[in-house]
Amino acid sequence: MEKRLLLAAVLSLGVLFLWEAIAAKNAPHPAAATTAAATGRLAGTTSARSTVSPGSVTGASGAPAASSPASSATSAAASDPASPLASASSIAPVSAATEQTTVLTNDVVRATFSNRGAVLVSYVLLHHTDEQKQPLELVRQLPAPAPKPLALDFPSRPETTEHVAQALFSSEPVGKDGVDFRYADGAIAVTKQIRLVGGYLFDVHTEVTGAAPYTLLVGTGLRNASGEEQVSRYAPPAAALATSGGGLSRARPEKIEKPQAWPLDAKGFAGLEDNYFLAVLLPRQTSTAVALPVAVKDAANKPTPSITAGVSGSGVLDTRAYFGPKDVEVLESAHLGLERTVDFGWFGILARPLLWLLKRTYSYVHNFGLSILLVTFAIRLLLFPLMHKSYSSMKKMQKLAPRMNAIKDKYKKAKTDAAQRQKMNEEIMKLYQSEGYNPMSGCFPILLQLPILVAFYNVLSRSIELRHAPFILWIKDLSAVDHSYVLLILMIVSMYVQQAMTPTTADPAQKKIFMAMPLLWGFFLKDMPSGLVLYWLFSNVLTVFQQMLINRMSRTDEPAGPAKQPKKLRQARA
């Protein structure tokens, strides 16, 4: 009985294996299941949007060029009817035989596109220069796997990402301002249509069939700053940014370890920025902003934190792109809200008028260093009444100091006895009232000055107008560090002179701390742009002259003491 059961089980398994083998052998190919209607609809949509140039898809002999072979993983996915890649199998293969480039230009940019991956390989800003005084290259030149601008990333299919990046797209120029790229291999179909709009703006229309979702990237980092530039200029590495919740969210390369995402509405944008330049995509439909860490190595083959960003979509993705300078006037003229990327801090409402004043002054003197001096002079002149009031208050405080110290000596137990401390404070307040002194009168004018000074500080540290702007003599770039440190040393000296002229009631311990402040400021400003140091130096010099003027005014206003009587009259009275 047991032998019969065992034999029946073996025969049953054999029949099952035989049936599975026969069924797999005779199963129809998934491509045969694709309907003619789907084929016609997809082909019609593609041909309506772009036309493939015959020269771009044929070899030297005129025969059709063979399409790039898909990876084994991609081909396997295409054979699966449930795979999203299977829907592209009905499209006729389209590709190019060799790598080609297409150059689009206008009056401010020269953009070079490669048909390998249909990406932007060069984007030269014609009105901005690099350290060699050549037109500035905005696309950072990095080896793979660092993606180029307009590359596609398929987060769930890394093999598809690599396959599309290496694919040779057919390319067809469209007038003087556009180019169409197409690629299809039976597993995936990709179309990219690029049009220069004007200035630093261009449109990107992307269609992907056979894989979803995907991310359109703005590239890896910005610019190709030399080691000398990175050391000599206040230029942090490019960071990702995206509109989020009515504001801007940012991700720095050294702090991002995994992908980050933010929802975007139809008026949002996402991309990369550094101190002076911007590369962002503005989708025309609801999308998702993505920031991704990128593994790259420096010249010494050491890992260097880097970052890329873009917008995610599925199927069709229409975006406008801005790749250009963070010039407030240029950004505002685009009417896309990009001027928000120029962050002037808490006092931006004051910084923008100051930037306008700086640029208007430059239009007359044609030297941004001189413009900084003139605007600084105007600011100090505007704040002179406040400074005069603050200085007078400090002088009065200095005169009251001996009487205040006497009151404090009277209540020596005030630190430990609350009742004594209250009595001491009451007596000090009576002294203030009797002398007509308000302790806030010295602080309040200084507090009113701070927003203006900080706003101007932010203008000088973030304005692209100062990049490569010379002043005089050895100052060739107001956005770079002055490695001679002449301005820095003069600034420290001016702070010591200013301290020596400022009335104070500080005790010896506090005076020692104050004496160290110029050195601390010098350490803080040593790696800052020379334009900032120039501003701080000239502001200190003006403060010294203002204090000299206030001292003279104070001596004039002081009541004259009793006149000395002649010696004979004093002897007569004696």
Side-chain angles (χ1 to χ4, degrees), residues 282-303:
L282 301 98
R284 289 188 171 90
Q285 64 265 38
T286 301
S287 182
T288 301
V290 178
L292 306 168
V294 180
V296 298
K297 295 183 179 180
D298 58 15
N301 205 33
K302 294 181 179 179

Side-chain angles (χ1 to χ4, degrees), residues 140-171:
R140 193 174 179 196
Q141 303 301 319
L142 292 171
K148 295 290 185 183
L150 308 187
L152 299 182
D153 175 67
F154 300 86
S156 60
R157 297 179 177 275
E159 70 281 355
T160 304
T161 300
E162 174 66 18
H163 173 58
V164 173
Q166 296 301 320
L168 292 175
F169 284 64
S170 70
S171 60

Side-chain angles (χ1 to χ4, degrees), residues 490-509:
L490 292 175
M491 186 272 297
I492 294 173
V493 172
S494 68
M495 289 191 72
Y496 277 115
V497 174
Q498 180 183 347
Q499 280 190 0
M501 298 181 63
T502 303
T504 179
T505 59
D507 56 40

